[in-house]
């Protein structure tokens, strides 16, 4: 069970859109539409932003959206705001009733 | 509002067993999946395993031989034991609730730092 692959860092200016990719395999992302995305600010617990690929929990801004193509899931943040600066982790349900996280992506708002 | 609170020793000696409990308040522990996740300082998240309220468990294959999880519905809490710990097990440990079988955490605890000393 290998970690999902995410870019180490992405950046964007306020108001712009950015996309974070999350690449897995046919044992996880490619088979199950059960990718979730978490936002983590320094020293804080992760916060669920997207679940089951593209669903937003109540209270999460519509600026956050999720999608999937093949073995790669993506998180898009539109209308970047300073408060979006954080680490983002993808997580996928995988074979044998397990879960695997991505290595995390640091988002910098310029 | 559901709240989770991890509790347990902050310092564990190498080769001993790490034990943590997560107390759930503001909601029932029944009919949900409950996970443990850890994060070494400056590193990413690692899923340790989960337990359903009936006691059914799933573990990370890389930790399966050392992990045991249990649930106490009467106390609305669940627990984890990790045996034969080493310095590599030093991390912030989080407990979390899964809103369904395919998601880990719609609610998370604040996390507790566990340091393994030699």
């Amino acid at each position: 069970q290998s970690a999902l692959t995410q870019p180490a860092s992405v950046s964007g200016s306020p108001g712009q859109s950015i996309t974070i990719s999350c690449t897995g395999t046919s044992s996880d992302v490619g088979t199950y539409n059960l990718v979730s995305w978490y936002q983590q600010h320094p020293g804080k617990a992760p916060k669920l932003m997207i679940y089951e690929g593209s669903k937003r929990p109540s209270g999460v801004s519509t600026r956050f959206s999720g999608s999937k193509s093949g073995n790669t899931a993506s998180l898009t943040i539109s209308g970047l705001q300073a408060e979006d600066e954080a680490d983002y982790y993808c997580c996928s349900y995988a074979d044998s009733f397990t879960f695997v996280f991505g290595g995390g992506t640091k988002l910098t708002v310029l | 509002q559901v709240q989770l609170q991890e509790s347990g020793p902050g310092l564990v000696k190498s080769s001993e067993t790490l034990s943590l409990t997560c107390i759930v308040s503001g909601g029932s522990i029944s009919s949900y999946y409950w996970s443990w996740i850890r994060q070494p300082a400056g590193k990413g998240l690692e899923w340790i395993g989960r337990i359903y309220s009936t006691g059914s468990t799933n573990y990370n294959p890389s930790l399966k031989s050392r992990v045991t999880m249990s649930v106490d519905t009467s106390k609305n809490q669940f627990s984890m034991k990790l045996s034969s710990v080493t310095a590599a097990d030093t991390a912030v440990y989080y407990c979390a609730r899964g809103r369904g079988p395919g998601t880990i955490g719609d609610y998370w605890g604040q996390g507790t730092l566990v340091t393994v000393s030699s």
Side-chain angles (χ1 to χ4, degrees), chain A residues 12 15 17 23 25 27 30-31 34 40-41 43 49-51 53 58-59 73-74 92 95 100-101 109:
Chain A
S17 295
T23 301
T25 69
S27 297
T31 294
L34 293 171
Q40 186 179 36
H41 287 108
M49 305 303 284
I50 296 288
Y51 68 101
S58 174
S74 299
S92 177
D95 288 348
V100 59
F101 278 98
V109 180

Side-chain angles (χ1 to χ4, degrees), chain A residues 38 40 45 48 51 89 97, chain B residues 39 45 50 58 94 99 105 109:
Chain A
Y38 299 89
Q40 186 179 36
L48 180 66
Y51 68 101
Y89 293 91
F97 308 104
Chain B
Q39 184 173 36
L45 300 167
R50 71 174 179 183
N58 303 116
Y94 295 99
R99 62 184 299 143

Side-chain angles (χ1 to χ4, degrees), chain A residues 1 34-36 38 40 43-48 51-52 57-58 89 91 93 96-103, chain B residues 35 37 39 43-47 50 58-62 94 99-106 108-111:
Chain A
Q1 189 184 53
L34 293 171
V35 174
S36 51
Y38 299 89
Q40 186 179 36
K44 300 294 186 181
K47 174 187 176 183
L48 180 66
Y51 68 101
E52 294 177 5
S58 174
Y89 293 91
C91 178
Y93 183 77
S96 303
F97 308 104
T98 61
F99 291 88
V100 59
F101 278 98
Chain B
S35 280
I37 301 99
Q39 184 173 36
K43 296 188 178 180
L45 300 167
E46 179 181 33
W47 179 73
R50 71 174 179 183
N58 303 116
Y59 298 136
N60 185 323
S62 68
Y94 295 99
R99 62 184 299 143
T103 303
I104 290 177
D106 55 347
W108 292 66
Q110 65 185 23

Side-chain angles (χ1 to χ4, degrees), chain B:
Chain B
Q1 178 79 342
V2 176
Q3 293 186 320
L4 290 76
Q5 179 66 58
E6 304 90 351
S7 65
L11 188 63
V12 180
K13 292 184 178 180
S14 183
S15 79
E16 296 189 343
T17 296
L18 180 165
S19 296
L20 294 173
T21 294
C22 182
I23 300 172
V24 180
S25 60
S28 174
I29 202 168
S30 297
S31 304
Y32 287 98
Y33 293 86
W34 304 93
S35 280
W36 289 97
I37 301 99
R38 69 181 182 179
Q39 184 173 36
K43 296 188 178 180
L45 300 167
E46 179 181 33
W47 179 73
I48 299 170
R50 71 174 179 183
I51 186 165
Y52 189 60
S53 54
T54 58
S56 173
T57 56
N58 303 116
Y59 298 136
N60 185 323
S62 68
L63 297 169
K64 187 174 183 177
S65 64
R66 299 196 290 131
V67 176
T68 302
M69 295 183 182
S70 60
V71 62
D72 187 336
T73 54
S74 67
K75 294 183 178 179
N76 231 38
Q77 65 184 41
F78 61 104
S79 300
M80 178 194 73
K81 294 184 185 296
L82 181 66
S83 64
S84 305
V85 297
T86 68
D89 295 310
T90 294
V92 174
Y93 285 75
Y94 295 99
C95 57
R97 188 188 85 167
R99 62 184 299 143
T103 303
I104 290 177
D106 55 347
Y107 288 97
W108 292 66
Q110 65 185 23
T112 187
L113 174 62
V114 178
T115 301
V116 177
S117 68
S118 55

Side-chain angles (χ1 to χ4, degrees), chain A residues 32-102:
Chain A
Y32 305 99
N33 197 24
L34 293 171
V35 174
S36 51
W37 289 89
Y38 299 89
Q39 176 192 66
Q40 186 179 36
H41 287 108
K44 300 294 186 181
K47 174 187 176 183
L48 180 66
M49 305 303 284
I50 296 288
Y51 68 101
E52 294 177 5
S54 60
K55 298 178 181 178
R56 273 186 310 276
S58 174
V60 172
S61 171
T62 57
R63 299 185 297 106
F64 292 82
S65 62
S67 62
K68 190 188 89 165
S69 177
N71 291 341
T72 299
S74 299
L75 172 71
T76 298
I77 308 173
S78 60
L80 266 182
Q81 299 179 0
E83 68 218 46
D84 299 332
E85 185 162 295
D87 293 327
Y88 291 84
Y89 293 91
C90 62
C91 178
S92 177
Y93 183 77
D95 288 348
S96 303
F97 308 104
T98 61
F99 291 88
V100 59
F101 278 98

